[in-house]
Amino acid sequence: MDTILNKLTRCIEFGKTDKAAAWPPDMKDQDGADELALRALEEGHPPDQILDALIAGMEVVGRKFSENKIFVPQMLMSAKAMKAAMTHLKPAFESGAAKRKGTFVIGTVQGDLHDIGKNIVAMYIEGSGYEVVDLGVDVKPEQFLVEIDKHPGCVVGLSALLTTTMINMKRTVDVIRETHPKQVICVGGAPVSEKFCREISADFYSPDPQGAVAFLNRLAS
Ligand code: B1M
């Protein structure tokens, strides 16, 4: 059945941002990720379900890219569609308690420009009652040091999506540990694993935002 969530998945797969978007030509004048995400929320679909539909679209994008069926420009259009939909989901995820339980400093490691997953993790954590300092993408290790000094007691979160930038995750952990040996560091991202987390001496690995929130809650309790 062609549900609104299926349509959303297709918008991400084909990079249909909004109704006015000319790309892709065969979806001209159809609602895009922007309109559909808003409508799905209005119809009462839980934000988690909507997010799953968006991620399902991205998984297809990744598969097609690996098989050389699409290229970087199409991936960019999909990312743009994802961001349009996320704009509507953000308030739902960020409606956490006003009183903050702690501070989480997050960034995508140096050399890595992928931010969709990192943004989702940041939203979940903010919605779970933490102050989030989002340093963005391509973050140099030294930038984390500056924020650690500004937010004593914070937890640092590192995201990496490329196998080639995992080495920069290790370097970031090493640089932080030189001056802050006890700094708590949580790592994640598609190529990262529990084993890699142990190898680079990070404190915690989570494959998803929920695991990162559970870890922070355990620390805060
Ligand atoms: Co890129 N890309 N990309 N890309 N891209 C991947 C990652 C890739 C797997 C595609 C593929 O080959 N199948 C591949 C990496 C291969 C590898 O390293 N072995 C790849 C490549 C090769 C590249 C380029 C090198 C392509 C090129 O230029 N030739 C280039 C690199 C640029 C750079 O970073 N320097 C590149 C560029 C891009 C775009 C800019 C076009 C775009 C990113 C746009 C953006 O982020 N603003 C893009 C995209 C969209 C993807 C795919 C298709 C989707 C990534 C994504 O957003 N996934 C991706 C293939 C794929 O993953 N299926 C791919 C959805 C997101 C919700 O999941 O990010 O995994 P994810 O986050 C999850 C979890 O991992 C976890 O929670 C999140 C939410 O569930 N998580 C954490 C993430 N961080 C966490 C931190 C935590 C805890 C959990 O604690 C701190």
Side-chain angles (χ1 to χ4, degrees):
M1 204 175 70
D2 204 13
T3 63
I4 190 164
L5 297 183
N6 291 341
K7 283 185 188 162
L8 256 177
T9 302
R10 265 208 314 281
C11 284
I12 303 304
E13 178 182 349
F14 296 106
K16 176 74 176 169
T17 308
D18 54 39
K19 192 167 183 169
W23 178 266
D26 58 348
M27 289 173 87
K28 191 167 178 274
D29 296 330
Q30 290 178 25
D31 282 343
D34 185 20
E35 293 84 8
L36 291 172
L38 186 59
R39 189 157 5 112
L41 280 171
E42 284 166 358
E43 286 179 7
H45 291 276
D48 276 333
Q49 254 182 35
I50 301 174
L51 183 59
D52 285 346
L54 301 175
I55 292 177
M58 266 304 179
E59 279 165 10
V60 184
V61 173
R63 213 161 42 239
K64 284 184 176 172
F65 182 76
S66 304
E67 294 165 354
N68 289 326
K69 288 183 179 155
I70 61 165
F71 302 95
V72 172
Q74 283 106 317
M75 273 209 295
L76 273 174
M77 293 312 289
S78 295
K80 204 172 159 210
M82 182 98 179
K83 285 204 167 153
M86 292 302 298
T87 312
H88 301 297
L89 293 192
K90 212 167 180 244
F93 285 105
E94 289 179 352
S95 57
K99 190 175 172 310
R100 297 303 182 187
K101 296 191 239 171
T103 304
F104 190 67
V105 175
I106 189 168
T108 304
V109 298
Q110 189 165 21
D112 200 321
L113 302 177
H114 295 84
D115 69 353
I116 295 170
K118 183 264 298 164
N119 292 346
I120 294 173
V121 173
M123 276 181 349
Y124 261 84
I125 289 178
E126 190 158 10
S128 304
Y130 295 84
E131 182 192 350
V132 171
V133 178
D134 187 346
L135 302 182
V137 295
D138 189 18
V139 184
K140 293 186 185 66
E142 295 71 23
Q143 285 172 262
F144 285 100
L145 290 182
V146 172
E147 295 306 319
I148 291 167
D149 287 339
K150 277 195 216 158
H151 305 280
C154 70
V155 173
V156 167
L158 306 177
S159 179
L161 256 286
L162 297 170
T163 45
T164 49
T165 56
M166 288 167 77
I167 185 73
N168 293 341
M169 185 174 260
K170 175 181 168 11
R171 209 168 73 76
T172 307
V173 173
D174 289 346
V175 169
I176 292 174
R177 293 270 193 249
E178 272 169 29
T179 45
H180 300 82
K182 292 198 171 140
Q183 175 61 48
V184 180
I185 304 173
C186 168
V187 293
V192 181
S193 64
E194 182 74 56
K195 182 169 169 280
F196 181 70
C197 170
R198 276 197 305 273
E199 280 168 15
I200 64 173
S201 306
D203 297 284
F204 187 74
Y205 158 73
S206 174
D208 49 40
Q210 295 86 345
V213 169
F215 172 65
L216 289 181
N217 285 343
R218 278 200 300 279
L219 281 183
S221 66

